[in-house]
Amino acid sequence: MNTDSQNTAKNAVEKDDDEIDLMALLFAILRGWKIIVFFAVLGLIIGVLYSRYVNPTYKSDALIQVEEKSQGISALGSDISELIGSEVSKAQTETELIRSRMILEPVVNLLHLRIQLSDPNIGALYKIKSSNIDTQINKPEGVSLKTEDGEVEVSQFNVSQNYLNQPFTLTRSATGFVLSNGFDDFKGQLGKAHQFRGTDGQIHITVNDLPADGYAVNITKQSLQTTTDRVNSALSVVEKGKQTGIIQLSMTGNNQQQTSLILKRIVLSYIDQNQSRGSEETTKTIAFMETQIPTLKKKLEDSEAIFNDFRKKYGTIDVGKEAELLLGENSQIDVQLNELKLKKADLTTYYTDEHPLVVQINDQLAVLNARKQEIDNTIAGLPEIQREFLQLSADTTINREIYLTLLKNYEQLKIVKAGQIGFARVIDLPISTFRAIAPKKLQIMILAMLLGAMLGTMLVLLKNMLRNVVKDPERLEMKTGIPVIATIPRSALLTRLRKNKKSQNRLLAHADNNSLSYEAIKSLRTNLMFGMTTVGKVGQRAKVILIAGESPGVGKSFISSNLTEVFSQLDKKVLIIDADMRLGELHKMFNMTQDNGLGDYLAQQIALTTVIHPTTLDNIDFIPRGQHPHNPSSLLSGDKFEQMMTELNEHYDYIVIDSPPILAASDAMIMSHYADKVLMVTRYDQSIEGQVAYAVKQMNKANVQVDGIILNDVQQGLMSKYSYHYSYAYGNKQS
């Protein structure tokens, strides 16, 4: 290698640049606009297909007011309200109650919601083609589903436990229908109830109508839990605001009328349960009174008869003041005892004897009974006739008071029950608006397009981060420690010509001699001329330039051939050697064959003059790669290659060697010892910085100093941050 090579070149810089270049990221995104647009359009297409694939979703709403307490009984007086009590309900508790099976099960049974019909003939393409697919309709009369070949109508379908949640297939036959589960086939007639016995239990079914022959329909009987869970998943029950007592019920589904019907039935089921709950206590109390009234009436009649007989026998008896007081107190005690017994009988219908209210009443009864016993002992001291009169009179009075009190309360409770309502009332029943709430097609398409664009942007940035391609000459110099001595713009005209596979490879001098690319090659020639002003090795006339690259496809042959052409314009004798004996294609640039080349000379005993071929260009000779030898590196390391270079130095002013890629073979390291300048070609926006730096490092390990880097195929444009490297050119730019 020439001793005049730059001695100040530094080793490759190993550390990465940690600073984030926002402009570089922006330009990287702009350069990848095709990928971003592709994914945005792909997202838009997916959004359109999804919006057509999904059935429209409709919503129905209802409002219920829950009052804090019932006013029905308390409005009639404190006595009755004390007997019945009051009930307090919070809206939050009622929201959970509405979701319970107690409310939902009557709706499920009424509308046959456990029966599920589906059309297996509807595929994804059909859903996309048709924006709205018919869904099953549940009514008290049965379940129906429209298909392309007719309608399915089933009014009854009950199965045993083992058949629950198992799919069956219904198919019309010549005589009726066939019900199959894959193991058993059950045949029946349309419009008639049938009972079948299968391996897992009994099946009760009534089929009213089916599509045309051969059109199968799936039918399934779901379990109650599965159905209520499905209803709950579509049902929303919340309290509007805080402590308002207003409950909002919302339900979504694929059929507006069906959704409104189910929600309406849920509201009515809740109201019925609430009303029956509110009057349950009154009903039980009336029933208890109806059993007691005849008994008390008979007891009163018996006591009056005995008292009247006594008075007829003994006449009127004057009772003393003390006896009257005792009688009055005894009467009051008996009335209180009967009232307490009535309350106790009512409480024991709901609570056990250990309940605090029952225990409290028992204590009160014990106190009253003790006082009554004391009065009875006092009255026992009165004369026999007088005492008997008092006893009969007291019995009659007590029985009359008890009977009249119970009869009064009974009539009042009948009036209360007639006008009693629950503590919940319907404000708004659901109505059908026929306005779909989903899918929101425009929103889905915009969101899908934005997500696609975001994915495309992420892929562009990820690709930029992972590949870290060569784009910035300054950054490349910092990474490798080698100066970038030339940036070669892309020739638009030559690029268009290369797209035609039948077109032959052409030099810039012939295809685009007014381009920036050609001027850049000339600038590279000037740089090399001033860099090789001193005389080379002893006995050496020619100045040897080795053109290498880190990997294939970077444009070594393009640079080598065009650099040779511009050197020939100096009226200098130039030789270009295709030293890539494996895959070299430099012969195509000169419209020649690869025969009789370097590989043949090194592997065979032939004269050097037989492998040197003149070209159609003045002052340019060419040595093609020849036939592929089995050991190119060994041949280059031999004495024959050294003798060849010595002999060639005597006949040429410049020798350009196009070598194999550095990372693919060690040939470039061997030939670089015969070169005055070692240049590395790298391709803009394609070569990877890490590979270029590694190639330079490998050359340095072989004691080879790379003198400069040529950045090839640089593309100019608004999206290229570093287009200023070749934004000015002198002369005619017409292509």
Side-chain angles (χ1 to χ4, degrees):
M1 185 170 51
N2 195 336
T3 57
D4 292 334
S5 298
Q6 297 179 357
N7 295 323
T8 59
K10 299 180 181 179
N11 292 331
V13 181
E14 300 294 339
K15 64 179 181 179
D16 293 332
D17 187 9
D18 294 332
E19 296 181 0
I20 299 177
D21 193 338
L22 297 180
M23 287 298 297
L25 291 178
L26 176 61
F27 280 106
I29 294 174
L30 293 177
R31 281 192 298 270
W33 68 271
K34 292 183 180 179
I35 297 177
I36 297 175
V37 170
F38 171 77
F39 277 96
V41 173
L42 181 62
L44 178 61
I45 294 174
I46 294 175
V48 172
L49 295 179
Y50 176 78
S51 62
R52 292 187 61 84
Y53 177 82
V54 178
N55 258 2
T57 300
Y58 300 93
K59 182 179 181 181
S60 294
D61 297 304
L63 288 179
I64 296 176
Q65 181 185 11
V66 177
E67 298 176 348
E68 289 301 320
K69 61 174 63 178
S70 175
Q71 299 296 331
I73 297 177
S74 61
L76 294 176
S78 59
D79 293 336
I80 299 299
S81 62
E82 287 179 2
L83 287 175
I84 303 303
S86 62
E87 184 164 346
V88 179
S89 174
K90 296 187 180 296
Q92 186 63 34
T93 304
E94 298 304 310
T95 59
E96 297 300 325
L97 182 62
I98 293 174
R99 291 180 172 275
S100 66
R101 285 194 299 272
M102 180 182 70
I103 303 299
L104 297 182
E105 186 174 359
V107 179
V108 170
N109 294 334
L110 176 65
L111 299 180
H112 309 282
L113 296 180
R114 295 175 63 183
I115 302 176
Q116 289 296 304
L117 298 175
S118 62
D119 189 351
N121 303 288
I122 296 179
L125 293 178
Y126 184 84
K127 290 183 178 180
I128 294 174
K129 180 181 177 181
S130 178
S131 59
N132 193 357
I133 305 298
D134 290 324
T135 57
Q136 73 176 41
I137 302 298
N138 294 74
K139 296 179 180 179
E141 297 80 15
V143 184
S144 62
L145 174 66
K146 291 183 178 180
T147 67
E148 287 185 330
D149 291 349
E151 187 174 5
V152 186
E153 291 184 3
V154 178
S155 57
Q156 177 193 11
F157 184 52
N158 296 315
V159 299
S160 60
Q161 182 69 29
N162 292 332
Y163 282 129
L164 291 176
N165 300 320
Q166 290 188 14
F168 287 81
T169 302
L170 271 176
T171 309
R172 180 188 283 270
S173 64
T175 58
F177 68 89
V178 177
L179 177 68
S180 174
N181 64 348
F183 300 98
D184 299 319
D185 293 335
F186 307 103
K187 298 180 180 180
Q189 296 180 356
L190 296 177
K192 293 185 178 181
H194 293 277
Q195 179 177 348
F196 303 113
R197 178 175 293 277
T199 56
D200 292 333
Q202 292 187 349
I203 299 174
H204 300 266
I205 187 170
T206 303
V207 181
N208 299 322
D209 196 7
L210 281 174
D213 293 347
Y215 198 95
V217 177
N218 292 336
I219 182 171
T220 305
K221 180 73 173 186
Q222 293 183 338
S223 64
L224 178 62
Q225 185 65 47
T226 301
T227 306
T228 54
D229 289 344
R230 177 168 54 86
V231 173
N232 269 320
S233 65
L235 179 65
S236 172
V237 185
V238 295
E239 183 179 7
K240 294 192 67 174
K242 291 185 178 180
Q243 314 242 339
T244 59
I246 304 296
I247 298 177
Q248 182 179 32
L249 294 87
S250 302
M251 193 169 191
T252 58
N254 299 126
N255 186 291
Q256 178 69 84
Q257 292 179 327
Q258 182 73 23
T259 303
S260 300
L261 176 61
I262 295 175
L263 184 60
K264 179 181 178 181
R265 290 298 178 182
I266 292 175
V267 172
L268 296 179
S269 176
Y270 167 71
I271 294 299
D272 290 342
Q273 290 286 347
N274 181 269
Q275 187 170 358
S276 63
R277 227 181 350 146
S279 61
E280 181 180 5
E281 196 172 352
T282 304
T283 302
K284 289 184 177 181
T285 305
I286 290 176
F288 172 74
M289 288 182 175
E290 288 176 347
T291 61
Q292 296 297 315
I293 287 176
T295 303
L296 294 176
K297 183 178 180 181
K298 180 67 168 56
K299 188 175 181 181
L300 174 61
E301 291 174 350
D302 293 343
S303 62
E304 286 179 344
I306 294 173
F307 183 62
N308 290 332
D309 291 342
F310 181 83
R311 292 180 64 182
K312 287 180 181 179
K313 182 178 180 180
Y314 296 102
T316 303
I317 300 175
D318 187 18
V319 181
K321 190 68 176 177
E322 181 179 358
E324 290 180 2
L325 293 175
L326 292 174
L327 180 62
E329 183 179 357
N330 196 20
S331 298
Q332 292 179 359
I333 291 175
D334 288 333
V335 171
Q336 293 177 6
L337 286 172
N338 283 281
E339 289 180 352
L340 289 175
K341 289 178 181 179
L342 184 62
K343 285 186 178 182
K344 180 180 178 181
D346 183 47
L347 289 174
T348 52
T349 60
Y350 299 98
Y351 309 111
T352 62
D353 292 338
E354 289 79 12
H355 193 275
L357 293 178
V358 178
V359 173
Q360 184 179 4
I361 290 177
N362 289 334
D363 294 341
Q364 294 176 1
L365 289 173
V367 173
L368 292 176
N369 286 325
R371 176 57 182 165
K372 179 177 175 60
Q373 184 64 38
E374 183 180 351
I375 293 175
D376 290 342
N377 293 335
T378 303
I379 293 177
L382 296 175
E384 183 65 23
I385 297 176
Q386 209 171 19
R387 182 176 61 80
E388 188 175 354
F389 175 83
L390 291 175
Q391 183 68 39
L392 295 175
S393 176
D395 290 342
T396 303
T397 304
I398 291 171
N399 291 334
R400 183 180 295 109
E401 289 291 334
I402 293 174
Y403 174 74
L404 292 177
T405 300
L406 187 62
L407 189 62
K408 175 184 175 182
N409 290 339
Y410 174 73
E411 295 298 330
Q412 286 181 333
L413 285 179
K414 287 173 64 178
I415 297 174
V416 169
K417 183 180 179 182
Q420 195 170 36
I421 59 175
F423 55 82
R425 64 169 179 159
V426 179
I427 299 177
D428 290 330
L429 280 174
I431 59 174
S432 298
T433 61
F434 297 98
R435 291 197 301 266
I437 62 171
K440 297 180 179 179
K441 297 184 178 181
L442 181 60
Q443 183 176 349
I444 289 175
M445 288 185 289
I446 293 176
L447 184 60
M449 185 172 63
L450 291 177
L451 289 175
M454 291 175 60
L455 179 60
T457 303
M458 292 175 60
L459 289 177
V460 169
L461 293 177
L462 183 62
K463 176 183 176 183
N464 186 68
M465 291 175 59
L466 293 178
R467 291 192 63 198
N468 207 11
V469 294
V470 174
K471 294 175 183 176
D472 182 8
E474 285 84 356
R475 179 180 173 87
L476 185 60
E477 290 179 351
M478 182 187 66
K479 293 280 290 184
T480 61
I482 306 299
V484 177
I485 61 175
T487 56
I488 311 300
R490 171 180 289 185
S491 172
L493 179 57
L494 199 58
T495 302
R496 289 197 298 270
L497 291 174
R498 286 175 178 172
K499 290 181 179 179
N500 186 1
K501 296 182 179 180
K502 297 181 180 180
S503 177
Q504 297 179 347
N505 292 327
R506 303 178 66 182
L507 298 172
L508 287 172
H510 297 158
D512 199 8
N513 56 9
N514 287 323
S515 65
L516 294 176
S517 304
Y518 196 47
E519 292 299 326
I521 294 291
K522 292 179 180 179
S523 298
L524 174 60
R525 177 193 65 184
T526 304
N527 186 305
L528 294 175
M529 287 174 57
F530 284 102
M532 297 185 297
T533 55
T534 59
V535 180
K537 301 175 182 179
V538 177
Q540 178 179 339
R541 170 190 171 187
K543 296 178 176 60
V544 182
I545 303 172
L546 178 70
I547 307 296
E550 87 283 353
S551 62
V554 296
K556 296 185 289 76
S557 299
F558 171 78
I559 298 297
S560 301
S561 57
N562 284 281
L563 184 61
T564 301
E565 190 275 329
V566 295
F567 268 122
S568 69
Q569 295 178 10
L570 302 176
D571 199 20
K572 300 291 185 180
K573 192 68 174 175
V574 185
L575 174 67
I576 181 170
I577 303 174
D578 188 354
D580 188 352
M581 292 178 280
R582 298 172 179 84
L583 300 173
E585 295 184 352
L586 193 57
H587 56 278
K588 295 180 181 180
M589 298 295 296
F590 298 98
N591 297 324
M592 301 174 68
T593 65
Q594 69 181 43
D595 301 330
N596 296 325
L598 180 61
D600 302 304
Y601 172 75
L602 296 178
Q604 303 175 20
Q605 297 296 327
I606 58 177
L608 180 59
T609 55
T610 59
V611 299
I612 300 176
H613 305 278
T615 65
T616 57
L617 301 175
D618 295 337
N619 300 323
I620 297 179
D621 290 337
F622 174 54
I623 299 180
R625 67 181 177 95
Q627 297 300 322
H628 180 200
H630 68 279
N631 55 347
S633 299
S634 300
L635 295 176
L636 292 174
S637 301
D639 296 336
K640 197 167 185 180
F641 180 75
E642 182 178 0
Q643 293 173 4
M644 183 192 77
M645 292 301 298
T646 303
E647 185 175 349
L648 292 175
N649 282 332
E650 298 175 357
H651 298 88
Y652 295 95
D653 296 301
Y654 291 96
I655 299 176
V656 179
I657 303 176
D658 184 6
S659 72
I662 296 174
L663 299 180
S666 61
D667 299 7
M669 301 177 189
I670 299 172
M671 292 183 289
S672 62
H673 293 282
Y674 302 95
D676 297 291
K677 285 289 185 180
V678 177
L679 305 180
M680 179 177 293
V681 180
T682 185
R683 199 179 194 94
Y684 177 84
D685 203 22
Q686 179 173 323
S687 297
I688 300 175
E689 287 182 352
Q691 290 185 355
V692 177
Y694 184 72
V696 172
K697 185 177 180 180
Q698 293 299 106
M699 295 289 279
N700 291 337
K701 287 182 178 180
N703 295 323
V704 176
Q705 176 63 50
V706 179
D707 298 294
I709 295 177
I710 302 172
L711 185 56
N712 184 34
D713 198 34
V714 179
Q715 302 173 43
Q716 183 179 13
L718 294 175
M719 297 180 187
S720 179
K721 177 182 175 183
Y722 304 104
S723 61
Y724 61 83
H725 285 286
Y726 55 93
S727 60
Y728 174 80
Y730 178 79
N732 185 8
K733 297 182 182 179
Q734 295 179 356
S735 56

